[in-house]
Amino acid sequence: MAGERQARVADRIRVVLAERLEKGLRDPRLGFVTITDVKVTGDLQHASVFYTVMGDEALRADTAAALKSASGMLRTEVGKHLNTRLTPSLEFFLDAIPENADHIAALLREARERDAAVAGLASTATYAGDADPYVKPRDADDDAIADDDASEDDASEDDAKV
């Protein structure tokens, strides 16, 4: 039950912060920020806010500084919209989702290239032994032919003894 409440409070904090950042802050250092996730402690006194920023490393650093300086104002805004006895303190963390996604995409691209290379090798490959190495059950016709061959072999052996 406590986990459900944590999730509801975290979701509400995420919505409030996203709405407030959409309205804008008066800080020119703030870049295009997206709130990706909020984690709240069990006692609801601390919230970790994860965000992403579109842009280069300098813009990310400027945005981190802007969010750190605006954390008091953002906490006040969260406190107005939350119906809790205590307003959680906010701590902002840069989320590494875009970098992780790029890394995973590169790994998948490499796997596709290797699969294509293996498929190219397999298309020109030949079997080391028989094309079909599995033993198949004999048909009734094969048994009849084998019996005829065996009876002829027996007859020739009998002729050789005489």
Side-chain angles (χ1 to χ4, degrees), residues 7-143:
R8 284 196 317 266
V9 169
D11 188 48
R12 184 67 187 145
I13 291 171
R14 186 180 57 78
V15 169
V16 168
L17 288 176
E19 288 173 353
R20 182 61 184 111
L21 290 174
E22 185 178 320
K23 291 178 188 176
L25 296 176
R26 293 187 188 138
D27 197 335
R29 300 176 294 177
L30 189 68
F32 183 70
V33 178
T34 303
I35 304 294
T36 57
D37 196 15
V38 175
K39 301 284 186 195
V40 181
T41 58
D43 59 0
L44 305 178
Q45 292 189 8
H46 181 74
S48 299
V49 181
F50 297 92
Y51 67 96
T52 60
V53 180
M54 298 293 286
D56 60 351
E57 196 61 39
L59 186 60
R60 290 179 186 155
D62 289 344
T63 299
L67 287 173
K68 186 172 182 175
S69 68
S71 64
M73 187 274 299
L74 291 172
R75 182 177 182 205
T76 302
E77 189 76 21
V78 167
K80 288 178 187 175
H81 292 88
L82 276 182
N83 294 326
T84 58
R85 184 170 60 90
L86 299 171
T87 302
S89 61
L90 303 176
E91 189 173 0
F92 293 93
F93 296 99
L94 183 62
D95 205 349
I97 287 176
E99 291 82 13
N100 290 343
D102 290 341
H103 180 68
I104 290 171
L107 290 175
L108 289 173
R109 186 173 40 255
E110 181 182 342
R112 268 188 247 111
E113 291 169 359
R114 287 184 179 180
D115 285 347
V118 168
L121 290 173
S123 66
T124 60
T126 58
Y127 292 103
D130 293 334
D132 190 7
Y134 299 105
V135 177
K136 292 190 168 87
R138 294 191 281 179
D139 294 336
D141 296 336
D142 293 340
D143 290 339

